[in-house]
Amino acid sequence: MGLKVEFKTSGKTVEWDDSFESILELGEENGIELENECRMGVCGTCKVKLLSGEVDMEEETGLDDADRDENMILLCVATPKTDVVIDA
């Protein structure tokens, strides 16, 4: 059984599939509207709060220290390491 990604606000939980490059792509493929712009982790448009779990992010330029302190992640570059719940 694969990892689960729960989009708390949208009320959807979907199974992670390694064919996706990011949680943003997974959400879009499952009909969840998520704000985004650069899709490279730079602009910060897609940042949301990680409520539980752990993610990997190759790029974090779109986050400042306050964002990190608040457990924000960038959906366009985040992939789950564990089951995750996000505020989206």
Side-chain angles (χ1 to χ4, degrees):
M1 180 174 264
L3 299 175
K4 301 277 189 236
V5 177
E6 180 180 345
F7 296 86
K8 190 83 167 170
T9 305
S10 303
K12 285 191 177 183
T13 300
V14 293
E15 191 166 321
W16 174 252
D17 178 335
D18 285 333
S19 68
F20 293 104
E21 291 193 23
S22 67
I23 294 174
L24 174 63
E25 285 185 7
L26 176 71
E28 289 176 332
E29 185 67 28
N30 285 278
I32 300 167
E33 289 191 35
L34 302 162
E35 282 193 53
N36 69 88
E37 209 165 295
C38 75
R39 300 180 86 90
M40 297 184 308
V42 177
C43 73
T45 303
C46 68
K47 72 181 170 187
V48 299
K49 187 171 185 94
L50 177 65
L51 301 173
S52 69
E54 293 181 48
V55 299
D56 275 326
M57 288 189 292
E58 290 183 17
E59 177 64 57
E60 294 187 29
T61 305
L63 298 175
D64 58 28
D65 289 339
D67 292 331
R68 287 181 191 87
D69 290 344
E70 293 178 21
N71 217 24
M72 301 298 275
I73 62 169
L74 299 166
L75 293 179
C76 70
V77 291
T79 58
K81 290 171 62 173
T82 65
D83 288 350
V84 295
V85 179
I86 57 173
D87 190 16

